[in-house]
Amino acid sequence: MINIAKPIISDEEIEAVTEVLKSGMLAQGPKVDEFQNKFAKYVEAKYGIATSSGTTALHTALVAAGIKPGDEVITTPFTFAATSNSILYTQAKPVYADIDAKTFNLDPAKIEEQITDKTKAIVPVHLYGQPADMDGILEIAQKYNLKVIEDAAQAHGAVYKGKKIGSIGDFGCFSFYPTKNMTTGEGGMVTTNDEEYAEKAGMVRAHGESKRYEQSLLGYNYRMTDIAASIGLVQLKHIDEFNKIRNENAKYLSEGLADVEGITTPVVADNVTHVFHQYTIRVSKDRDTFQKFLTDNQIGTGIHYPIVLYKQPYYQALSITGNCPLAEEAASQVISIPVHPSLTTEELDTIIDTIKKGSEELLQ
Ligand SMILES: *Cc1c(COP(=O)(O)O)cnc(C)c1O
């Protein structure tokens, strides 16, 4: 089987973890400090606040942004559940705007019609590693005085018009889950350029403590461990190289699949550096049958994502609604195929040949 994802862990990570274990300092300590500073520098933001996951990074940023029960937050329904769940944790209401059919990202032209006097923030997602249309989003945010919290869980190192993702909105939120472009096992990061936001996010992460055992707001335990941070420090040294290989693999796949009937390859917008967390194609019909064909032929796949969030049973039970036909169409057509940096040229050729065969058998 050619797997859809494969974390790259070398002896360097193993040695780094061993060193931390031997030091006796296991929880948040000097390695977390070093990692959050270096990661912030990498994404060209002033501050980094390391957290226990991408989900807790999002929740931390929303709380630090002042999102409260009853507020509304505009976001995309075509993403991993964590984007919206973190909004629900604050007891605010996620409100969905439709996507751009080409990039799969939130379409700024669809945001304005969703704004009410309760709207407080926009949460765009840089889906599959492709930056969302930040100029369009920031323009609306400025006009209506809204906070912008970027879900950058899939976009470490991505660039929008010369600016690193994570340095553009009020907050950037990253994930270091093992399938992401870089990992710490589990882990996350909030980035921001605002000192007050950074301070507040740090408090939200650790029970609202402004100093030890003095709690000035309701916080959580969302800390990263030094064990995880020591892995992140090694991964950070390699992220540009990982992303470069992801881009080369994507280019190879797009050339090989250019004229295959029934398949649409990813579109990269102008003025961005895509980091191909996923390489996601559209299949013109019978996506699930096509996926089964690939699985039967030893090609790992993923559906990112099969159900728009407002159609998830839990969201329906909460009477959260949405009307995003382009997101719904994408959910029925997309399929992600392997693009990770460990793939060999032979494996990439096998993927291309198998998809061509699948197209001949199922899509003509
Ligand atoms: C992975 C992911 C998250 C959540 O990150 P975790 O580290 O798994 O909590 C949030 N949003 C998106 C778009 C993701 O892909």
Side-chain angles (χ1 to χ4, degrees):
M1 185 62 115
I2 303 175
N3 291 324
I4 180 76
K6 190 168 175 226
I8 301 177
I9 297 293
S10 68
D11 287 345
E12 213 182 337
E13 281 89 346
I14 294 167
E15 279 157 26
V17 168
T18 306
E19 191 193 305
V20 171
L21 292 174
K22 284 182 177 163
S23 78
M25 181 83 210
L26 308 185
Q28 183 180 311
K31 292 290 177 192
V32 167
D33 264 352
E34 187 185 345
F35 180 49
Q36 63 189 18
N37 292 339
K38 284 191 171 157
F39 189 83
K41 197 160 180 224
Y42 174 68
V43 304
E44 295 163 7
K46 280 199 186 133
Y47 306 96
I49 300 93
T51 60
S52 53
S53 71
T55 306
T56 56
L58 283 162
H59 186 204
T60 298
L62 287 159
V63 174
I67 303 306
K68 298 209 161 50
D71 290 347
E72 291 180 3
V73 178
I74 297 175
T75 187
T76 165
F78 190 58
T79 175
F80 182 56
T83 313
S84 271
N85 285 352
S86 60
I87 296 168
L88 290 181
Y89 300 159
T90 67
Q91 296 180 55
K93 183 182 161 200
V95 173
Y96 298 104
D98 210 351
I99 59 169
D100 175 296
K102 282 211 173 81
T103 63
F104 301 106
N105 279 326
L106 201 52
D107 181 353
K110 309 282 174 58
I111 293 175
E112 209 157 359
E113 64 205 52
Q114 302 298 337
I115 290 176
T116 72
D117 55 8
K118 292 182 181 162
T119 311
K120 293 287 153 52
I122 306 173
V123 180
V125 179
H126 307 296
L127 199 69
Y128 309 143
Q130 164 136 269
D133 180 354
M134 291 306 292
D135 277 356
I137 290 165
L138 288 174
E139 194 181 310
I140 294 166
Q142 270 152 17
K143 186 168 166 193
Y144 294 92
N145 194 23
L146 308 175
K147 306 279 194 273
V148 174
I149 295 142
E150 297 173 67
D151 183 339
Q154 307 186 350
H156 323 66
V159 182
Y160 175 81
K161 296 192 178 172
K163 287 185 188 156
K164 277 273 178 74
I165 289 304
S167 71
I168 302 172
D170 294 288
F171 296 91
C173 299
F174 293 86
S175 164
F176 305 116
Y177 189 72
T179 57
K180 303 292 158 90
N181 295 42
M182 59 175 279
T183 187
T184 61
E186 295 267 12
M189 186 80 70
V190 177
T191 55
T192 181
N193 288 312
D194 183 291
E195 188 179 356
E196 248 173 70
Y197 284 154
E199 212 168 283
K200 196 156 174 212
M203 286 163 66
V204 172
R205 170 177 65 178
H207 287 294
E209 288 187 349
S210 43
K211 42 185 193 244
R212 194 74 175 128
Y213 302 126
E214 184 178 309
Q215 281 105 23
S216 40
L217 53 82
L218 177 64
Y220 304 85
N221 175 359
Y222 285 169
R223 291 182 299 264
M224 178 181 273
T225 65
D226 261 22
I227 303 169
S230 72
I231 301 172
L233 280 164
V234 178
Q235 294 267 307
L236 190 56
K237 292 198 267 180
H238 302 291
I239 181 68
D240 281 339
E241 176 198 328
F242 293 162
N243 284 341
K244 184 166 164 271
I245 303 171
R246 283 179 183 273
N247 261 287
E248 286 164 7
N249 290 348
K251 193 157 172 267
Y252 195 88
L253 289 168
S254 286
E255 278 165 14
L257 297 172
D259 300 315
V260 180
E261 202 173 324
I263 297 291
T264 310
T265 57
V267 175
V268 181
D270 293 335
N271 299 319
V272 307
T273 304
H274 194 318
V275 292
F276 283 99
H277 167 60
Q278 299 292 351
Y279 183 94
T280 305
I281 58 177
R282 276 187 196 257
V283 181
S284 60
K285 61 179 184 190
D286 297 336
R287 188 265 319 276
D288 296 346
T289 314
F290 194 78
Q291 183 184 31
K292 187 174 179 303
F293 177 88
L294 294 182
T295 309
D296 291 347
N297 285 280
Q298 306 298 310
I299 310 291
T301 56
I303 306 298
H304 307 105
Y305 294 87
I307 305 173
V308 294
L309 293 182
Y310 55 80
K311 290 208 164 166
Q312 293 285 357
Y314 181 65
Y315 282 71
Q316 300 225 304
L318 289 173
S319 301
I320 291 170
T321 56
N323 178 19
C324 303
L326 296 177
E328 289 184 28
E329 184 179 43
S332 72
Q333 292 184 331
V334 292
I335 181 163
S336 304
I337 60 176
V339 73
H340 61 77
S342 304
L343 293 169
T344 62
T345 306
E346 198 186 2
E347 287 174 323
L348 288 165
D349 286 333
T350 305
I351 294 165
I352 291 166
D353 291 343
T354 310
I355 289 176
K356 282 182 178 163
K357 203 162 138 241
S359 162
E360 277 161 24
E361 284 186 26
L362 301 166
L363 304 178
Q364 330 246 325

